[in-house]
Amino acid sequence: MVRLAVIPGDGISSEVVPEAVKTLEAASEIFEFPLEHESFDFGVERYLRTGQAVPDDFDEFIQGLPARFDAALFGAGGTDPRVPAGISAQPVLHGLRSGLDLYANVRPSRLLSDDLTPLKGKTSDDIDFIVIRENTEGYESGTAGSFKVGTPDEVEIRPEYNTYRGVNRVLEFAFDYAQRLGLTKLSMAEKGLPNGLWSRTFNDVAAKYPEIEARHVHVDTLAYMIVTAPETLSVVVAENRAGDILSDLGGAIQGSRGLAYSGCFNPDREFAYFEPVHGTAPDIVGRGISNPIAAIMAARMMLEYRGHQEAADAIELAVRATIANGTITRDLGGRSSTIEAGDSVRQELRTQAG
Ligand code: ATP
């Protein structure tokens, strides 16, 4: 059983998220599990219609999600020239992450086809790691500000907060994740104080998992490793800002921004949310050429989370088959539309099911 809140958001989200939902519907028919989904239109389009990007009771809505749904599928929030700056579906992201305290952002970096990576000589065997990004602290605290803007005395303050509780729980999450999946290598990336909170807490948590080889790596070195030696990586856990950059790099070596996806978790909650990693792609919005695979893979990750492993595996196989049959969008070197690529995934899914 899956009860899903679908919140497409802005830009190309209204093109790619429906492809993910149609793929879930096909999987629910083929694998015979009940799927209920409800869509919420927060963001720019809603603002244009009603004057509000999100409703007045938005905080209550977010807090009420776990009682009504098992998971949410979100697209992206971003600027749109048709509306004043700051109007977008971005509050959804903040609400899901901070409001629901979904502190561990898990971003897989796996090759869906050997041909896609820009890294010379690397294959699917080499590119198969996960970046777990701390999702609620660091520079996400909302306390940045500036004054004397536009004058030579302008001051901008961007503090980063790291609390013992926040650092400890995401490190525990990462080690636990590695242990559950039988992964024996874990790297922690940051650039904090020498012997600071992250490195001390890392040593303490690592000591509880002697079977896992734990390395503390500076974020710049880890970025270098992603490009030169991704095969040495398995689970990477990182502070908020470092994790943001590293996971995008991990996405880039998969071949396109249209392929990377993530899930956000808090093991104390029976609710998680999933999203493609890309943004609103204003340069291609409305043209029907955006790649739906990241959104479809985010939906696949949601099925895995809900225990529908067989359906999740089948969707991944269907995505791989679609890339192999060439029904792919321009970012992957193809000529297909968003809908054609999504239709191909569903067709491949049905073909597999016989
Ligand atoms: P935002 O301000 O919403 O973050 P952005 O332009 O900074 O938008 P993305 O939306 O991720 O960031 O876009 C970065 C580049 O990747 C753009 O050239 C965009 O067209 C491309 N891109 C992003 N997502 C896709 C996709 N699903 N399919 C094809 N190209 C994509």
Side-chain angles (χ1 to χ4, degrees), residues 145-165:
S146 50
F147 60 101
K148 298 187 181 171
V149 176
T151 75
D153 297 322
E154 178 165 346
V155 178
E156 184 176 282
I157 299 173
R158 293 187 283 165
E160 291 195 15
Y161 287 89
N162 294 278
T163 65
Y164 171 74
R165 182 170 168 272

Side-chain angles (χ1 to χ4, degrees), residues 54-354:
V54 296
D56 285 334
D57 63 350
F58 181 67
D59 289 344
E60 292 77 26
F61 168 83
I62 291 284
Q63 292 307 321
L65 280 172
R68 298 167 60 197
F69 300 99
D70 304 309
L73 181 64
F74 177 58
T79 51
D80 186 311
R82 295 173 298 165
V83 298
I87 300 293
S88 76
Q90 207 65 23
V92 177
L93 195 72
H94 188 71
L96 290 170
R97 285 185 185 172
S98 298
L100 294 180
D101 204 24
L102 302 177
Y103 62 84
N105 184 1
V106 177
R107 299 189 182 186
S109 186
R110 285 160 56 226
L111 267 195
L112 290 169
S113 162
D114 285 356
D115 305 335
L116 295 177
T117 184
L119 298 186
K120 195 164 76 185
K122 301 294 181 191
T123 67
S124 331
D125 292 337
D126 302 313
I127 300 176
D128 186 2
F129 60 90
I130 301 259
V131 178
I132 298 173
R133 171 193 181 197
E134 201 295 318
N135 216 17
T136 55
E137 300 195 335
Y139 70 98
E140 302 275 355
S141 59
T143 53
S146 50
F147 60 101
K148 298 187 181 171
V149 176
T151 75
D153 297 322
E154 178 165 346
V155 178
E156 184 176 282
I157 299 173
R158 293 187 283 165
E160 291 195 15
Y161 287 89
N162 294 278
T163 65
Y164 171 74
R165 182 170 168 272
V167 173
N168 186 61
R169 68 183 184 174
V170 76
L171 290 172
E172 290 276 5
F173 180 95
F175 276 95
D176 190 53
Y177 186 96
Q179 191 179 53
R180 243 181 316 120
L181 294 184
L183 304 169
T184 55
K185 278 194 290 184
L186 187 147
S187 313
M188 188 273 280
E190 59 137 4
K191 198 134 191 179
L193 302 176
N195 200 29
L197 180 59
W198 274 87
S199 70
R200 276 181 287 115
T201 314
F202 180 66
N203 292 339
D204 290 348
V205 177
K208 295 196 280 177
Y209 296 84
E211 71 286 6
I212 296 176
E213 186 193 321
R215 287 182 293 182
H216 177 191
V217 187
H218 279 149
V219 58
D220 42 347
T221 307
L222 207 120
Y224 184 83
M225 286 163 72
I226 287 180
V227 175
T228 57
E231 64 281 4
T232 61
L233 302 171
S234 177
V235 177
V236 175
V237 58
E239 58 174 339
N240 194 308
R241 188 186 294 275
D244 192 20
I245 297 165
L246 293 176
S247 55
D248 255 26
L249 193 54
I253 65 170
Q254 292 174 72
S256 163
R257 247 174 122 63
L259 297 176
Y261 56 96
S262 76
C264 293
F265 306 91
N266 175 337
D268 296 333
R269 277 195 180 277
E270 285 182 25
F271 182 86
Y273 95 89
F274 300 84
E275 62 179 344
V277 166
H278 60 74
T280 57
D283 53 335
I284 57 168
V285 71
R287 292 167 57 194
I289 58 168
S290 49
N291 189 344
I293 291 181
I296 291 173
M297 290 295 284
R300 175 215 172 273
M301 194 180 192
M302 184 279 296
L303 285 183
E304 198 166 47
Y305 166 71
R306 290 296 302 153
H308 297 289
Q309 192 64 47
E310 201 188 353
D313 290 345
I315 290 178
E316 178 159 336
L317 272 181
V319 166
R320 287 176 185 269
T322 289
I323 294 171
N325 78 29
T327 315
I328 48 178
T329 45
R330 280 191 348 177
D331 54 309
L332 299 183
R335 283 204 300 248
S336 303
S337 69
T338 309
I339 293 176
E340 284 163 351
D343 280 344
S344 171
V345 172
R346 291 180 290 278
Q347 187 51 50
E348 294 287 356
L349 202 53
R350 294 198 176 91
T351 306
Q352 272 177 53

